[in-house]
Amino acid sequence: MRDWAAARTKRLEISGIRKMFELAKPGTINLGIGELDFEPIDEAKQALSKAVNEGHNGYGPTKGMPELRDSIAESLHINRKDVTRENVMITAGATQGLLVSAMALFDHGDEILIPDPGFVLYSPHAIMCGAFPVKYSLKQEHAFVPQPDEILELINTRTKAIILNTPNNPTSGVIDKDTIRAIRDIAIDHDLVIISDEVYDKIVYDGKHYSFLNGDYDNVVYINSFSKSFAMTGWRVGYMASSEELIKDLSKIQYYNIACPPTPLQYACQKAMEAPDNKIDERVNILRKRRDVIVDRINKIDGFTCLKPNGAFYAFPSFDHDILGMDFAMKLLEAGMICAPGSAFGSGGEGHLRFSYANTIENIEKGMDILEQVAGTIPMK
Ligand SMILES: Cc1ncc(COP(=O)(O)O)c(C=O)c1O
């Protein structure tokens, strides 16, 4: 039979994490999923059913509801005072924002700098647009912060964009102010677009989140989402901010991609933003306690080294055991816990495992018992 898949489809591989999830038995402790175990706040849930019942079920503007774009623009003033609704577009999750960015900006043959290890969408999106992902490293010895010198060395005349992600998935690394400035200066010198995925910006434990949107470089495409901060992964609402000019280009692609973001959900997200208590601080405090438990447990296991995440909700320890990450994760799965092998996020993630601590302390403790027991059966290098 004819193979109908286009060349670009054939070049894509199913995500390693999905493969793991499909193999899990019921009752398995899930420290694999990048999703908070919280609910959207009541005000947002009520606003959603109200919007549906009141008939806000039709198409809306391609760039999203003006009122929501206004609220988002205002929330971004901590980064840039001149952001208005004309700089903002609502998307179907950060996922679609990232795809729209790739489709609107990447040409065949362009080179796109992406983090390794890095979130699973960046490389496939570049490939789907005929561009080449070129990896820069995130290393534990540098607290998983990109090194401007390395980025500089990777740039050539074909380089079009740098994708950055802070706080980072899978490493939980947070990029400091000076590194942000240095990378922004490199982008300005080489006329590159910065695509900055900041979906974990509100989940920062100590200190403050620094954004690539901060400053006067207009060629920044800022990506964010309601998924993580507002515990609304299934609602599929995200947003992006950029120069008016780039937003016009991005909205052209958005129109031919999804016509408009989902209408009733935007009403609900608006309410979530306006709510007097969005519960984010309370939830970050819960996550902080879980982080402290998991990091402490992992560091007590022979051969493991785990940095304390300052953002997001992933522990990304290295291990000295003589085994590939995928095989290690499979052994853990057989013993009753799902985690993600670091290699699912790129070859730079080999030798690491990713544990999401978006789970109860009880389950985290049970998961760590399994890790301790399984790790004890694997010889060291
Ligand atoms: C770094 C990063 N960016 C983007 C996304 C996708 O977010 P959304 O649910 O808004 O599509 C995720 C989800 O795990 C993520 O970890």
Side-chain angles (χ1 to χ4, degrees):
M1 200 176 78
R2 183 168 174 184
D3 183 352
W4 294 103
R8 85 174 72 83
T9 315
K10 287 188 197 139
R11 285 181 66 199
L12 301 177
E13 281 175 22
I14 302 271
S15 145
I17 324 179
R18 288 262 158 228
K19 279 187 209 159
M20 300 276 306
F21 290 174
E22 281 158 21
L23 290 170
K25 293 185 262 214
T28 305
I29 306 272
N30 194 343
L31 302 188
I33 194 156
E35 175 168 72
L36 288 172
D37 55 329
F38 304 128
E39 281 287 291
I41 56 172
D42 288 344
E43 290 93 324
K45 285 185 183 174
Q46 284 151 13
L48 177 57
S49 63
K50 188 165 179 265
V52 170
N53 289 324
E54 286 181 355
H56 298 293
N57 299 307
Y59 292 124
T62 294
K63 288 185 205 160
M65 266 171 43
E67 299 78 3
L68 181 58
R69 288 164 60 213
D70 282 342
S71 300
I72 289 168
E74 204 185 313
S75 76
L76 293 174
H77 287 169
I78 46 164
N79 300 314
R80 263 188 89 141
K81 287 266 175 286
D82 56 353
V83 180
T84 73
R85 73 162 73 148
E86 299 311 326
N87 303 105
V88 175
M89 180 162 85
I90 318 294
T91 57
T95 298
Q96 197 241 342
L98 287 163
L99 182 62
V100 162
S101 312
M103 291 182 75
L105 304 173
F106 304 168
D107 272 317
H108 269 252
D110 284 346
E111 292 189 7
I112 314 301
L113 302 188
I114 65 163
D116 181 20
F119 182 50
V120 294
L121 298 183
Y122 308 142
S123 178
H125 282 180
I127 291 170
M128 282 155 74
C129 297
F132 294 100
V134 174
K135 297 175 173 185
Y136 64 84
S137 60
L138 297 182
K139 294 203 172 118
Q140 186 162 268
E141 72 223 53
H142 297 131
F144 303 115
V145 171
Q147 301 298 292
D149 289 351
E150 186 193 349
I151 288 183
L152 198 54
E153 270 176 30
L154 294 170
I155 292 173
N156 61 47
T157 51
R158 292 181 298 279
T159 312
K160 180 77 165 282
I162 315 178
I163 300 184
L164 295 132
N165 173 212
T166 180
N168 181 271
N169 179 10
T171 67
S172 279
V174 169
I175 310 181
D176 56 277
K177 202 174 170 183
D178 290 345
T179 306
I180 287 185
R181 198 170 294 147
I183 295 174
R184 212 186 56 222
D185 289 347
I186 292 174
I188 293 171
D189 288 349
H190 294 83
D191 210 10
L192 305 177
V193 174
I194 288 177
I195 298 173
S196 185
D197 176 345
E198 303 186 20
V199 300
Y200 297 100
D201 68 334
K202 294 178 189 61
I203 306 175
V204 172
Y205 304 102
D206 311 298
K208 142 180 194 318
H209 167 76
Y210 290 101
S211 173
F212 277 91
L213 197 63
N214 204 327
D216 56 6
Y217 188 44
D218 280 338
N219 297 333
V220 174
V221 177
Y222 168 94
I223 309 269
N224 210 328
S225 170
F226 287 87
S227 284
K228 312 286 173 175
S229 331
F230 291 90
M232 293 174 178
T233 42
W235 288 23
R236 313 309 301 127
V237 188
Y239 50 95
M240 55 206 309
S242 193
S243 65
E244 256 188 78
E245 206 171 84
L246 277 175
I247 286 289
K248 275 185 199 144
D249 289 332
L250 293 157
S251 68
K252 264 197 245 174
I253 298 289
Q254 165 120 316
Y255 177 73
Y256 292 115
N257 182 210
I258 57 162
C260 67
T263 302
L265 288 147
Q266 292 179 71
Y267 282 84
C269 288
Q270 171 86 26
K271 275 283 177 266
M273 288 194 84
E274 286 168 359
D277 180 12
N278 56 24
K279 291 205 160 53
I280 294 175
D281 289 347
E282 181 189 321
R283 291 170 172 185
V284 169
N285 281 334
I286 296 173
L287 288 170
R288 183 184 283 108
K289 286 193 189 116
R290 296 171 176 180
R291 171 197 71 167
D292 292 348
V293 170
I294 197 164
V295 170
D296 190 50
R297 286 287 312 259
I298 294 173
N299 279 326
K300 283 190 179 128
I301 302 173
D302 229 18
F304 272 88
T305 307
C306 188
L307 300 187
K308 203 176 225 186
N310 196 17
F313 41 83
Y314 306 106
F316 195 67
S318 60
F319 57 84
D320 294 335
H321 302 72
D322 193 10
I323 187 168
L324 288 174
M326 189 53 150
D327 296 336
F328 204 151
M330 286 306 293
K331 277 180 183 285
L332 292 167
L333 183 65
E334 278 157 27
M337 169 176 54
I338 308 182
C339 68
S343 54
F345 303 92
S347 54
E350 188 51 85
H352 290 260
L353 295 171
R354 190 198 75 172
F355 301 95
S356 158
Y357 48 89
N359 210 322
T360 59
I361 292 204
E362 193 192 346
N363 279 340
I364 290 171
E365 294 277 15
K366 279 190 201 156
M368 291 304 102
D369 290 345
I370 293 174
L371 178 64
E372 200 173 276
Q373 180 262 317
V374 171
T377 65
I378 306 170
M380 297 287 177
K381 274 184 195 147

